[in-house]
Structure formats: structure tokens, C-alpha cells
Amino acid sequence: MNDQEGFAIAVEEAKIGYKEGGVPIGAALVSKDGKLLGRGHNMRVQKGSAIHHGETAALENSGRLPASTYKGATMYTTLSPCDMWFVITAQPLSIHSLSHAHAYNTIQRTVPALVSYTASHGSRFLGGEAYLKQRGVEVVVLENAECRELMERFIKEKPEVWNEDIGEEERVHSKEEK
Ligand SMILES: Nc1ccnc(=O)[nH]1
């Protein structure tokens, strides 16, 4: 599986999430030798969960694998990596340890599509990206138009669900006040 195929699975997952009425963010985890390890989409609405982001779902669906299987893997995601995915995936994927050379650079690449998208609260999720880069992970930004459109449509339709996903409440409040 190459980059295009891996990313296409993440987009497929995002669309499934949209159809289910959830947050349309998908992800796929692919091993260094091109094998699909796991795929998934944000399930916060579907599962009534505070933590099921697209990337964490892909990791969860990959099951329990030895560290060597994650080595050199790529996480394809339809939105730039937020702090949530970094914190949850860092330990199993061994990207948490700056001081241990052997743990460094385990996931080599993450390919988010929408890094420069400006979220409703004005953030661009640059924090998640910065963490990854600091730890030697290659971050490739695709700026994929299809993902951007899907996110923009969703945010317009369900601003309160999106704000909840990113830990914001302002829009919900201003709606209630009206
Ligand atoms: N990168 C992400 C940001 C917000 N929600 C997600 O599921 N993923």
C-alpha cells in the first residue's frame, strides 16, 4: 500500500463517519512494509465517548501488536493531529521518548490533510504537529480539498458537535443565549 492508497482509506473512513452523523475524521495506520494495520473514524458521537478520535480509533482497531510492528509505520489522517491523538497514541507507538534514541522516530510519518484549516476557535492544531516534529516524526501536509470541504460542511451543520470535539463550548453557549 502506498501513500495514496493509505490516505484514500482515511478519507473513506471520514465519509463513513459523516454518514453515521458523527465527526467526519478518518485515519489509517499502515506498517513500514505497506500493510494496513488498522483503520477507523472518530466515534465520539456514535459511542457517546470523550476520547474516540479518528486516529485513536485506527490504533485501537489495529489490536495489540508488538513494538516492532509499529516501527516505521505511517498514520494517515484527514485532519491535522490534535493533542488528543498525540497523547493517546504516543506510548504504544513509542513517540513519547525524546531521550531514548531507540524509541525515537518510530512512527516515521503522519499525513494529515488539513493542517492549515482554521478551526472555529481560531486554532490550527499546530500543537499536535509541533509535538510530533519535535520527536522526529515526519509530518506531511496534503491540504486535501475533499477533506477540507467535508470538514467545513460538517462544522456548518453541527458547530456544537465540532466544538465539543475540540473542547470548546462558546458556540454552544451563544446558541443557547439566542
Ligand atoms: N485530529 C483530530 C482532531 C479532532 N478530532 C479527531 O478525531 N482528530
Side-chain angles (χ1 to χ4, degrees), residues 169-178:
E169 234 176 327
E170 283 150 35
R171 285 265 200 111
V172 180
H173 285 157
S174 56
K175 238 183 160 183
E176 282 164 358
E177 280 157 19
K178 269 183 208 159

Side-chain angles (χ1 to χ4, degrees), residues 25 42 53-55 79-82 125 162 165:
I25 300 169
N42 184 305
H53 275 207
E55 304 85 340
L79 191 65
S80 59
C82 62
F125 291 131
W162 173 237
D165 201 68

Side-chain angles (χ1 to χ4, degrees), residues 35-157:
K35 204 172 135 245
L36 179 68
L37 301 176
R39 57 187 288 173
H41 53 272
N42 184 305
M43 294 288 285
R44 293 194 60 248
V45 171
Q46 295 91 320
K47 287 198 172 175
S49 158
I51 61 169
H52 278 272
H53 275 207
E55 304 85 340
T56 57
L59 180 68
E60 170 79 0
N61 293 338
S62 75
R64 180 182 162 203
L65 299 168
S68 57
T69 307
Y70 298 119
K71 209 170 165 55
T74 300
M75 180 73 85
Y76 297 92
T77 157
T78 62
L79 191 65
S80 59
C82 62
D83 293 356
M84 169 77 88
W85 109 256
F86 175 76
V87 168
I88 292 180
T89 60
Q91 174 133 348
L93 299 178
S94 289
I95 53 177
H96 58 297
S97 178
L98 260 180
S99 54
H100 297 92
H102 67 271
Y104 195 73
N105 218 4
T106 295
I107 271 211
Q108 287 183 330
R109 299 189 299 147
T110 174
V111 186
L114 205 57
V115 166
S116 68
Y117 180 74
T118 303
S120 51
H121 63 322
S123 137
R124 289 163 54 181
F125 291 131
L126 295 178
E129 244 186 274
Y131 282 140
L132 291 167
K133 284 181 178 165
Q134 246 176 38
R135 285 155 178 80
V137 177
E138 184 189 346
V139 178
V140 179
V141 181
L142 297 180
E143 281 294 353
N144 181 275
E146 196 182 7
C147 294
R148 176 187 292 271
E149 277 156 27
L150 187 60
M151 275 312 284
E152 285 177 351
R153 191 180 341 145
F154 162 72
I155 291 170
K156 221 165 143 189
E157 288 168 1

